[in-house]
Amino acid sequence: MDGVLLMPGETLSGYERMQPFTIKNGYKMAKAYQNGLVIDSVGGGACQIATTLYQAALRAEITITERKNHSMIVGYVQPSGDAAIAGDYKDIKVTNNRKTPIYVEAVTSGRDVTFTIWGKEDRPAGRTIEFVSEVLSETPKGKTYIDDDSKSKGYIKKQSEGHKGRVSKLWKIVKENGVEVSKDLISSDTYRKADDIYIRGTRHSAPAAPAAPAPTQAPESDNSGPADTQAAPEAQAPEVSQGPAFDPNLNPGQ
């Protein structure tokens, strides 16, 4: 993207300048949007380059030939201030609408990227421009659970961070000597909501096997026939024999 000279009427395509999005071409794995999810993808984050070019082109007031917003909101720029790159169906294209050439410069410093568009300044002194984002509505994000029977019941882990849905507009306000002279709509955009995604375990633990009962011993049989239920005879108390009766009229020793 750095070092592009555009003659009057020529167009710069961000996709054509950045592709192919491969490891061999210097790209690494980073976050990207796909089907409402945040995924890891080779070349993820290239949209930040596209967005920075878009912001520079807006301020240079060159023609935005093509620009599309992300499917979901991004956190590094105000709503409706972004530009997405996705295959050849989402691109950022800018066209030199001046009568003289312009030069596009892109430099990086650490994690920062800066675009400067050089050209002949033919706008009047005292003229300023401002871009204002207006959020018209918001849709709160929810929670979506993906059941996983390889995980035990009670297991919960967040897989993907969601985003609020938004409907927004971007306005261009022009002032001359501090007085507003125009307010023009640049774009109206819709960003879909995305739920927080959780992995939820559904596997039930196998119940413990019941303990085996102790073996019951069968009663032994003596084959002696029915038992005798007649009570044993009670033993009689021995009788006490009595001696001769005492005669009080007898003298002792007589």
Side-chain angles (χ1 to χ4, degrees):
M1 298 284 273
D2 179 44
V4 179
L5 179 66
L6 291 179
M7 301 302 290
E10 290 185 339
T11 297
L12 165 64
S13 163
Y15 174 75
E16 291 297 328
R17 297 292 299 186
M18 288 191 283
Q19 62 92 29
F21 296 101
T22 62
I23 297 293
K24 185 177 180 179
N25 200 31
Y27 290 99
K28 297 182 179 181
M29 297 291 289
K31 299 300 181 183
Y33 290 159
Q34 185 179 67
N35 299 326
L37 298 176
V38 179
I39 64 167
D40 290 319
S41 175
V42 176
C47 293
Q48 296 185 43
I49 300 173
T51 294
T52 308
L53 172 61
Y54 176 54
Q55 290 286 325
L58 285 172
R59 285 157 176 77
E61 296 184 276
I62 61 176
T63 300
I64 311 298
T65 309
E66 181 179 340
R67 170 263 173 191
K68 293 182 175 65
N69 63 293
H70 288 78
S71 58
M72 299 183 292
I73 202 73
V74 295
Y76 49 80
V77 72
Q78 73 272 26
S80 291
D82 60 308
I85 290 282
D88 57 359
Y89 64 93
K90 281 190 176 183
D91 196 1
I92 175 66
K93 293 181 180 179
V94 298
T95 300
N96 181 6
N97 58 352
R98 304 297 179 84
K99 296 179 180 180
T100 55
I102 60 174
Y103 181 80
V104 179
E105 178 187 58
V107 296
T108 59
S109 176
R111 296 175 60 86
D112 297 330
V113 59
T114 301
F115 275 88
T116 304
I117 298 178
W118 299 94
K120 182 181 179 180
E121 180 60 83
D122 55 7
R123 293 172 291 186
R127 182 179 183 276
T128 61
I129 56 175
E130 179 185 6
F131 295 92
V132 176
S133 171
E134 178 187 7
V135 176
L136 304 178
S137 65
E138 288 188 344
T139 304
K141 65 180 180 178
K143 294 182 179 181
T144 296
Y145 293 91
I146 299 175
D147 291 339
D148 185 347
D149 60 7
S150 71
K151 306 294 184 183
S152 298
K153 192 173 183 180
Y155 174 92
I156 296 287
K157 183 178 181 181
K158 181 180 283 189
Q159 182 189 56
S160 178
E161 184 72 30
H163 300 272
K164 291 180 179 179
R166 287 186 175 91
V167 176
S168 60
K169 292 182 177 182
L170 186 68
W171 296 92
K172 176 183 177 181
I173 299 173
V174 178
K175 294 180 180 180
E176 293 180 358
N177 300 316
V179 179
E180 183 176 316
V181 295
S182 65
K183 181 178 181 179
D184 298 316
L185 179 65
I186 299 298
S187 67
S188 297
D189 303 296
T190 298
Y191 301 89
R192 62 187 287 190
K193 80 174 181 73
D195 291 345
D196 291 335
I197 306 296
Y198 292 86
I199 302 298
R200 177 173 59 189
T202 58
R203 188 185 72 229
H204 291 273
S205 299
T216 302
Q217 187 173 8
E220 294 182 358
S221 174
D222 60 5
N223 296 320
S224 59
D228 186 0
T229 58
Q230 185 176 358
E234 291 183 0
Q236 275 187 334
E239 294 181 359
V240 177
S241 59
Q242 294 182 354
F246 174 68
D247 186 356
N249 296 318
L250 293 177
N251 293 324
Q254 184 178 1

